[in-house]
Amino acid sequence: MCESYTCRATRRWPTKLFFHSLDIMALNAFIIWRYHNTAPGQRRKSERRNFLKVLSRELIVPQMTRRSTEGYLKDYTKHALEVMGIMLPKPIPVPIEPTGSKLKKGCYVCKTSSRTQCSTCTQYICKTHQIKTIICAHCAEN
């Protein structure tokens, strides 16, 4: 029964052993779940498949939630998080003023080298993580 839902073919024995133990754990969890949640004689055709989908989602969501709070994510990672329904935190706008410093240091978020510093906290920040504010001359005087 374990072999009916596995799709991982590998020649490396440690990997094969790991995936086989995962299959056995998933089957045991399904048997326990079915014992507690279904009436005798009541079975659906794709019950195990649906259980495995729900189980995998419940195991993935905490990791994805933790990952969404990291400073810099690639676009494809952001898209995958949005598809799974994980809300990404909005960046906090920090007004910056570019400084003409010749010294390059790493961005405090992603460690990319940059010469620009934040006008409030003076930490170095790259172009990806900076938010520029544009104001008119009248507002600048006030």
Side-chain angles (χ1 to χ4, degrees):
M1 193 162 180
C2 280
E3 298 296 321
S4 63
Y5 280 99
T6 189
C7 60
R8 300 173 282 293
T10 181
R11 291 181 181 212
R12 298 182 60 212
W13 71 267
T15 309
K16 194 171 208 159
L17 183 67
F18 173 73
F19 286 135
H20 185 67
S21 63
L22 276 179
D23 290 336
I24 290 172
M25 286 183 256
L27 178 61
N28 289 340
F30 172 68
I31 291 170
I32 292 169
W33 176 84
R34 188 173 63 186
Y35 177 77
H36 289 292
N37 293 315
T38 58
Q42 175 191 13
R43 289 197 177 141
R44 288 176 279 169
K45 190 172 184 175
S46 61
E47 186 178 24
R48 183 168 178 223
R49 180 173 297 191
N50 292 335
F51 174 79
L52 290 175
K53 285 180 183 180
V54 170
L55 176 67
S56 63
R57 181 167 175 88
E58 287 182 7
L59 291 173
I60 290 171
V61 167
Q63 165 66 13
M64 293 179 76
T65 305
R66 186 193 61 78
R67 180 76 194 270
S68 71
T69 60
E70 290 182 3
Y72 178 73
L73 296 173
K74 302 271 186 192
D75 289 337
Y76 58 85
T77 308
K78 289 178 185 176
H79 178 68
L81 290 171
E82 289 169 358
V83 166
M84 292 296 291
I86 307 291
M87 299 304 294
L88 297 173
K90 300 291 180 197
I92 299 169
V94 177
I96 58 162
E97 289 180 13
T99 57
S101 173
K102 292 183 181 179
L103 180 65
K104 273 189 169 182
K105 288 199 173 181
C107 171
Y108 79 97
V109 178
C110 67
K111 307 301 183 219
T112 306
S113 64
S114 176
R115 289 189 176 113
T116 308
Q117 288 179 297
C118 177
S119 60
T120 353
C121 63
T122 65
Q123 289 190 10
Y124 286 86
I125 190 162
C126 67
K127 288 184 179 181
T128 308
H129 297 106
Q130 58 183 267
I131 300 170
K132 297 184 179 183
T133 56
I134 301 172
I135 57 172
C136 66
H138 182 287
C139 294
E141 290 173 2
N142 295 337

